[in-house]
Amino acid sequence: MIELQDVHKRFGGEAAAVAGVSLTVARGEIFGVIGRSGAGKSTLIRLVNLLERPSAGRVLIDGQDVTALEGEGLRALRRRIGMIFQQFGLLGSRSVAENVALPMKLAGDRSGAEIKARVAALLERVGLADHARKYPAQLSGGQKQRVGIARALATDPAILLCDEATSALDPETTRSILALLDGLNRELGLTILLITHEMDVVRDICDRVAVLDRGRVVEIGAVADLFLKPSHPVTRALIAEAEHRETPVRQAGGRRVRVTLTGAAAETPFLTEATRGLEVDLTILDGRIGRTRDRPYSQLLLAVGGRDAEQALARLAACAELEELAA
Ligand SMILES: Nc1ncnc2c1ncn2[C@@H]1O[C@H](COP(=O)(O)OP(=O)(O)OP(=O)(O)O)[C@@H](O)[C@H]1O
């Protein structure tokens, strides 16, 4: 659906903002790109709808090379790709309904009555049916982003690009906007490419994620895999920051193992089962329990000692992924 092939973007003589990125976003997927400030995220997402032109490489949408599109071809592409922004990008002099109607008016392929009906339906869907006549300045940040989403969907795009769409919002409003995007993805099969510097956003809503560092993808994969077994230092640091913690502070004797379970197994009493009837000293040194978009996970750092430690570890290994760490 979205395919970037060895895409580069250089501004003047500076180091390349995007330095050879290749990735594919499947139809109907929510794909996240995460990275620190300056990593090249905004540039990357703007290359998809050609708000920026690649210096080298190709951008394909549904198999079509769009890199060289101009004029009507480019306008048609932008109607297939909606976009929302951190600062919402609404026109302050237009009402909510007028903001949402604008892309349809510009496209010029719907009657006034059709536009009116579609604006009403879109505002209803984003929960703003009662705010059509208001102006952006009268809305909260979350409401403004809802207008942004309605406007982005006005031309019925198959793809939605989200450029730090929740970064200006508080945590609760962020969750409500993510829930809206999640629902739209499921209902409409909307493909969503989002960029963010927040690992929480990726964990809650994305299917897959790429980590961008200095214009390059340093790690890519399913969110649960990357989140629970990060291999690149940048990924590790982003996760540690999101969880507000350093590596474990507790100490205990015995063998140190990291136990990871995802899916239904994560919600079983696996510690009880692993130690039932055994003489084991089990200390939980650290733990992460939560869920990614599609599955629950439990990841515990344990110290396992006592006479039957071996047996308990064997039982754990049978139901979980087990990684032994240096003591
Ligand atoms: N129009 C431009 N002209 C010159 N340099 C640019 C332009 N846009 C971006 N850059 C540079 O490209 C690099 C990547 O910027 P970009 O905004 O894509 O990163 P980012 O990961 O989105 O960061 P942030 O989250 O801070 O926006 C930076 O060094 C930036 O200064």
Side-chain angles (χ1 to χ4, degrees), residues 30 122 125-126 149-150 153 160 177-192 293:
I30 303 189
L122 285 163
R125 178 62 190 87
V126 300
I149 292 169
L153 297 180
L160 180 66
I177 294 294
L178 295 182
L180 176 59
L181 293 174
D182 182 284
L184 291 168
N185 164 265
R186 291 176 199 271
E187 282 163 38
L188 309 174
L190 193 65
T191 303
I192 299 181
R293 183 179 197 214

Side-chain angles (χ1 to χ4, degrees), residues 256-318:
R256 278 161 47 105
V257 290
R258 182 178 290 126
V259 181
T260 306
L261 299 95
T262 61
E267 297 178 319
T268 60
F270 59 93
L271 288 181
T272 316
E273 285 165 12
T275 54
R276 185 169 282 135
L278 301 181
E279 195 182 306
V280 184
D281 298 319
L282 201 64
T283 312
I284 299 175
L285 302 174
D286 200 358
R288 313 158 74 194
I289 293 169
R291 60 179 305 129
T292 55
R293 183 179 197 214
D294 62 344
R295 52 195 138 136
Y297 62 82
S298 299
Q299 185 173 59
L300 300 178
L301 181 62
L302 304 175
V304 187
R307 193 191 69 197
D308 298 328
E310 283 301 321
Q311 217 177 327
L313 287 169
R315 286 190 197 167
L316 278 173

